[in-house]
Amino acid sequence: MLSIEDRKTIRLEKRRARRALSSKQQKRAALSLVHQLRKAPYFHRAKRIAVYLANDGEIDLQPLIKLCWKLKKSVYLPVLHPVRHNRLWFTQYQPNTSMNQNRYKIWEPKLKRSHSPAWAVDLVLMPLVAFDQQGGRMGMGGGYYDRTFEFTQKKGFMHGPKLIGVAHDLQKVEQLPIQPWDVPMHGIATDKGRYIA
């Protein structure tokens, strides 16, 4: 089992590695990710897709967002929940959506009444810092996605969004131990391939 120090080290190394990619490498990775996701049945079935805006070297979803708009899929961005601590809402994102920065300096839509609860989207493309081929995911450490989607782990829960982590393939590690609070991914998609789902 990884110690807290081991987890910190992995988080630092993988964040540094993705930030070190040139803008040309980032663009190539973003287009390759679109190619990988276009082949995925869960992408074709999804009508309401939650994405994120890249920050801190994360793989960029802008080319995928543009494809979703072209295919008439509804696109949603996470917004920090105004009341429930460390949870997310999802707000529809369109080319003309008004944006502002949250307390982490991440761009998000201005909060309005047209938010959507987490269970109402079909597909969630989650950012991650590190992953393994078994679907283990390490995020930034705030637990926002785990708390938001913990409802998917309740006994008898049958439906809900498909949870797919997205990253640069260089963020892969051999194995990440799953913590009791970690919500498992249905799959991982990178610029080089898809794992599990």
Side-chain angles (χ1 to χ4, degrees):
M1 182 150 161
L2 288 180
S3 69
I4 291 171
E5 284 306 310
D6 291 336
R7 292 178 75 83
K8 273 188 191 172
T9 301
I10 290 170
R11 197 172 268 123
L12 282 170
E13 286 174 359
K14 294 305 179 181
R15 287 179 70 191
R16 191 177 299 128
R18 71 186 186 188
R19 281 195 306 259
L21 294 169
S22 69
S23 60
K24 188 175 181 179
Q25 289 170 311
Q26 282 280 9
K27 283 179 186 167
R28 194 176 316 125
L31 292 173
S32 294
L33 179 66
V34 171
H35 178 70
Q36 294 299 331
L37 287 169
R38 281 189 90 144
K39 297 187 284 185
Y42 54 76
F43 177 76
H44 290 283
R45 286 192 297 267
K47 291 180 175 44
R48 298 161 56 97
I49 301 177
V51 297
Y52 63 86
L53 297 181
N55 180 51
D56 190 47
E58 293 166 338
I59 196 162
D60 189 4
L61 296 185
Q62 284 296 342
L64 184 76
I65 291 168
K66 289 175 182 167
L67 174 63
C68 289
W69 287 336
K70 185 178 172 184
L71 297 173
K72 305 289 190 245
K73 293 178 184 288
S74 297
V75 176
Y76 292 81
L77 285 176
V79 176
L80 298 181
H81 198 292
V83 179
R84 298 191 71 202
H85 180 65
N86 284 25
R87 294 215 176 32
L88 301 170
W89 266 348
F90 293 89
T91 298
Q92 191 163 11
Y93 177 54
Q94 296 167 326
N96 60 351
T97 298
S98 293
M99 306 287 283
N100 58 14
Q101 286 185 309
N102 64 26
R103 67 175 169 260
Y104 300 109
K105 305 291 184 218
I106 295 171
W107 289 99
E108 63 181 25
K110 287 185 178 175
L111 198 56
K112 39 186 182 170
R113 293 182 195 270
S114 64
H115 66 271
S116 181
W119 54 263
V121 294
D122 304 316
L123 173 62
V124 181
L125 300 177
M126 297 183 183
L128 50 83
V129 175
F131 71 95
D132 63 27
Q133 287 189 218
Q134 296 75 43
R137 171 189 176 270
M138 179 185 286
M140 291 292 284
Y144 283 90
Y145 282 93
D146 289 317
R147 286 185 188 90
T148 300
F149 292 100
E150 66 188 352
F151 69 88
T152 63
Q153 302 307 295
K154 290 188 176 153
K155 191 174 181 178
F157 187 82
M158 302 292 289
H159 304 289
K162 184 74 101 169
L163 306 177
I164 304 294
V166 290
H168 298 282
D169 208 70
L170 60 78
Q171 293 171 245
K172 182 170 55 177
V173 296
E174 193 171 312
Q175 188 171 16
L176 283 174
I178 303 297
Q179 302 294 339
W181 57 84
D182 287 340
V183 173
M185 304 288 93
H186 295 106
I188 307 284
T190 76
D191 50 317
K192 301 275 198 283
R194 287 180 287 132
Y195 303 92
I196 308 174

